Amino acid sequence: MNNFSAIPTVAMTDVEHFVDAEYPAQLSLESPAAWITTDFARRAPLVIEHDVKIDDALYMMKKAHVKAKLVVDANNRFMGIVSASDLQSHKVLMHATNKAIHRSEVSVGDVMTDKAHLHGFAYQELQSATIGDVLYTLQELGEQHILLLDKTLHNLRGMISAADIARALHIPLDITQRAYSFAEVFHVLKSA
């Protein structure tokens, strides 16, 4: 350990606040999209296993102050995404009713959005994309998240969420989700 040296320390007595955000101070729709990207090469993705029961998953998300997690199988393979909204939506009761099980037996995998229904683009596209481009894409797709694929490794490289954009730009966002099944279309029309 003689190749290392001690780093000078400072007193914490007068410290009262946290740094606001990891974003540059003045973000706009014209800012580079990379600035609001959750890059899995720098920060591990927030994952949850597909067999976790919905109440446990919701508790974990609330405790971690996150609105969505990537869903993985027992071998850590990507399966989809689940949001706190999914865990509290009509999907839970629909699945419980269809399978004749108690609500507490419904798992994350039962209500997640399968990767077949998710959209993404190449991570390399971020080089020329702006936050406005990403937001426009999310609105066109009716999605809260867009995934980023590393085309070289063919791995999931990152994610951008509408919530992150709203927080970074200090603006409200309302992206209308699209339905994938007749039951979801029926629910949307019934609740309108």
Side-chain angles (χ1 to χ4, degrees):
M1 297 275 304
N2 57 359
N3 291 336
F4 303 102
S5 56
I7 299 171
T9 61
V10 295
M12 294 286 120
T13 311
D14 295 329
V15 178
E16 295 178 357
H17 302 283
F18 300 97
V19 172
D20 284 335
E22 60 188 50
Y23 310 115
Q26 296 296 323
L27 282 183
S28 71
L29 292 173
E30 289 77 28
S31 298
W35 288 359
I36 47 97
T37 300
T38 301
D39 185 346
F40 300 153
R42 292 187 309 223
R43 188 182 334 164
L46 299 174
V47 298
I48 191 163
E49 287 196 13
H50 69 100
D51 57 354
V52 173
K53 301 301 180 211
I54 59 162
D55 290 333
D56 295 333
L58 189 58
Y59 174 78
M60 288 187 272
M61 290 174 136
K62 286 181 179 179
K63 192 90 168 148
H65 303 287
V66 297
K67 294 182 180 182
K69 286 192 175 197
L70 299 171
V71 181
V72 296
D73 66 12
N75 295 317
N76 210 36
R77 288 184 301 235
F78 174 60
M79 296 177 65
I81 192 168
V82 69
S83 69
S85 300
D86 292 331
L87 299 172
Q88 301 173 84
S89 74
H90 68 283
K91 291 181 188 180
V92 175
L93 292 178
M94 275 181 34
H95 185 79
T97 303
N98 290 342
K99 296 290 183 179
I101 59 175
H102 190 269
R103 181 195 165 286
S104 64
E105 296 177 59
V106 177
S107 67
V108 167
D110 298 326
V111 297
M112 71 177 189
T113 301
D114 188 85
K115 66 182 178 179
H117 295 295
L118 296 173
H119 296 89
F121 54 80
Y123 180 79
Q124 292 76 1
E125 293 293 325
L126 287 179
Q127 303 296 332
S128 59
T130 65
I131 294 173
D133 296 331
V134 173
L135 182 57
Y136 181 79
T137 304
L138 288 170
Q139 289 174 326
E140 284 294 302
L141 296 171
E143 297 288 341
Q144 295 294 317
H145 304 89
I146 190 130
L147 300 171
L148 305 171
L149 174 71
D150 184 322
K151 287 174 71 172
T152 308
L153 302 173
H154 201 67
N155 287 338
L156 194 55
R157 171 67 186 263
M159 181 169 71
I160 301 174
S161 76
D164 287 345
I165 293 173
R167 190 171 29 258
L169 299 180
H170 307 289
I171 59 171
L173 283 181
D174 183 25
I175 296 178
T176 305
Q177 289 188 299
R178 299 203 176 147
Y180 296 109
S181 69
F182 177 76
E184 290 178 3
V185 170
F186 178 76
H187 177 74
V188 169
L189 294 174
K190 185 177 169 189
S191 62

